[in-house]
């Protein structure tokens, strides 16, 4: 193999075959695809061996590579940081459809910052802010969010946001942890061992953080602005109830292709009793 292969085609077939064989033996379902990515990313034979060793040991592929593909972007993902799931691209699509021109966007529980970065990339001149309580996630998110002109703050949910954002947020993204505490131990090892528990554990029924986000959302949303969260399908009725209790107008959207459920709650425009898009 050359010192700096640009693709798996530059590696001898026996090297690629060995990587595929090791990945298959470790239980990697998409061994061929993963082998191509690892060979492409490795700078040397020794580097490839080290990367394959880490993957075979159970590290998520994205942590081994240092990035994840999300909504057509290459998102930096550091060890220990929550890996953005493909199903969450549906949340970004739903948000993009609602965003007004020059939208003010906030990404809570941002993790790597994938959602905010993807939405900002899809919009024209968005004003983006993101927060996370995990210092490792904040360091990672700053690499992704600042690349699209946004800012990242460390702290619990809304607490670190500039007060001037109150009542101005057009799109509030919150991919909150929603796995019930007793089910965290049932997650695949890649998530259970290698991602921060704070990014997974949503409390007894999985909706503790969602309820906190929803309760405070009306104070941050602009009239006609919307909060969007991802839940499981079975959690959707309770999530909808939380949205309604906070005064937001809820809507449920599902993607069968991505196995995704998104709840959108819109702040009504004063005097109308219904949600109206803000025109700028």
């Amino acid at each position: 193999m050359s010192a700096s292969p640009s693709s798996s085609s530059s590696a001898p077939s026996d090297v690629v075959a060995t990587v595929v064989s090791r990945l298959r033996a470790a239980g990697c379902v998409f061994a061929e695809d993963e082998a191509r990515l690892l060979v492409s990313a490795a700078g040397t034979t020794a580097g490839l061996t080290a990367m394959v060793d880490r993957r075979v040991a159970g590290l998520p592929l994205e942590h081994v590579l240092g990035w994840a593909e999300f909504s057509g972007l290459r998102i930096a993902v550091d060890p220990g940081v929550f890996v953005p799931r493909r199903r969450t691209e549906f949340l970004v699509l739903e948000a993009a459809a609602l965003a007004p021109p020059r939208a003010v966007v906030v990404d809570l529980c941002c993790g790597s910052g994938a959602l905010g970065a993807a939405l900002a990339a899809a919009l024209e001149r968005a004003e983006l802010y993101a927060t996370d309580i995990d210092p490792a996630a904040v360091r990672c998110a700053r690499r992704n969010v600042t690349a699209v002109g946004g800012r990242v703050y460390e702290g619990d949910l809304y607490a670190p946001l500039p007060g001037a954002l109150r009542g101005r947020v057009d799109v509030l993204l919150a991919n909150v942890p929603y796995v019930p505490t007793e089910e965290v131990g049932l997650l695949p090892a890649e998530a259970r061992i290698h991602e921060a528990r704070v990014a997974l554990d949503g409390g007894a029924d999985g909706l503790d953080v969602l309820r906190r986000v929803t309760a405070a959302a009306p104070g941050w949303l602009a009239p006609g602005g919307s909060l969007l969260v991802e839940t499981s399908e079975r959690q959707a009725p309770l999530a909808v109830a939380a949205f309604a209790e906070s005064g937001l107008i809820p809507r449920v959207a599902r993607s069968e292709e991505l196995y995704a459920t998104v709840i959108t709650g819109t702040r009504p425009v004063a005097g109308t009793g219904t949600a109206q898009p803000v025109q700028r």
Side-chain angles (χ1 to χ4, degrees), residues 87-92 94-95 227-232 236 240 243 251-255 260-265:
R87 65 174 174 267
T88 310
E89 293 179 0
F90 182 57
L91 190 153
V92 174
E94 289 288 298
L227 163 66
L228 297 95
V229 303
E230 179 180 279
T231 70
S232 69
V240 165
F243 275 58
R251 178 177 64 87
V252 181
R254 296 181 175 87
S255 168
T261 300
V262 170
I263 315 294
T264 298

Side-chain angles (χ1 to χ4, degrees), residues 12-111:
S13 59
D14 61 329
V15 172
V16 177
T18 297
V19 173
V20 171
S21 179
R22 291 194 63 196
L23 294 175
R24 281 180 178 162
C28 298
V29 177
F30 301 105
E32 291 83 359
D33 293 337
E34 292 194 14
R36 284 193 291 271
L37 289 169
L38 291 169
V39 170
S40 296
T44 63
T45 301
L48 175 60
T49 299
M51 294 177 76
V52 174
D53 286 347
R54 295 175 68 209
R55 179 61 179 136
V56 168
L59 269 73
L61 176 66
E62 294 81 3
H63 288 169
V64 176
L65 294 172
W67 58 270
E69 184 179 347
F70 184 80
S71 292
L73 301 179
R74 181 172 286 196
I75 299 293
V77 182
D78 295 336
V81 175
F82 183 82
V83 176
R85 278 39 167 183
R86 182 167 178 264
R87 65 174 174 267
T88 310
E89 293 179 0
F90 182 57
L91 190 153
V92 174
L93 290 172
E94 289 288 298
L98 294 172
R102 300 184 182 182
V104 176
V105 176
V106 169
D107 182 2
L108 297 183
C109 305
C110 70

Side-chain angles (χ1 to χ4, degrees), residues 62-171:
E62 294 81 3
H63 288 169
V64 176
L65 294 172
W67 58 270
E69 184 179 347
F70 184 80
S71 292
L73 301 179
R74 181 172 286 196
I75 299 293
V77 182
D78 295 336
V81 175
F82 183 82
V83 176
R85 278 39 167 183
R86 182 167 178 264
R87 65 174 174 267
T88 310
E89 293 179 0
F90 182 57
L91 190 153
V92 174
L93 290 172
E94 289 288 298
L98 294 172
R102 300 184 182 182
V104 176
V105 176
V106 169
D107 182 2
L108 297 183
C109 305
C110 70
S112 65
L115 275 70
L119 182 57
L123 301 177
E124 184 176 349
R125 300 177 66 181
E127 186 179 333
L128 173 62
Y129 304 84
T131 75
D132 202 286
I133 198 170
D134 179 8
V138 169
R139 288 193 296 271
C140 183
R142 283 184 174 138
R143 295 161 59 195
N144 295 308
V145 171
T146 57
V148 293
R151 299 178 182 179
V152 184
Y153 302 88
E154 181 180 335
D156 186 28
L157 301 180
Y158 303 96
L161 287 172
L165 286 176
R166 288 184 178 273
R168 292 187 55 233
V169 180
D170 298 305
V171 179

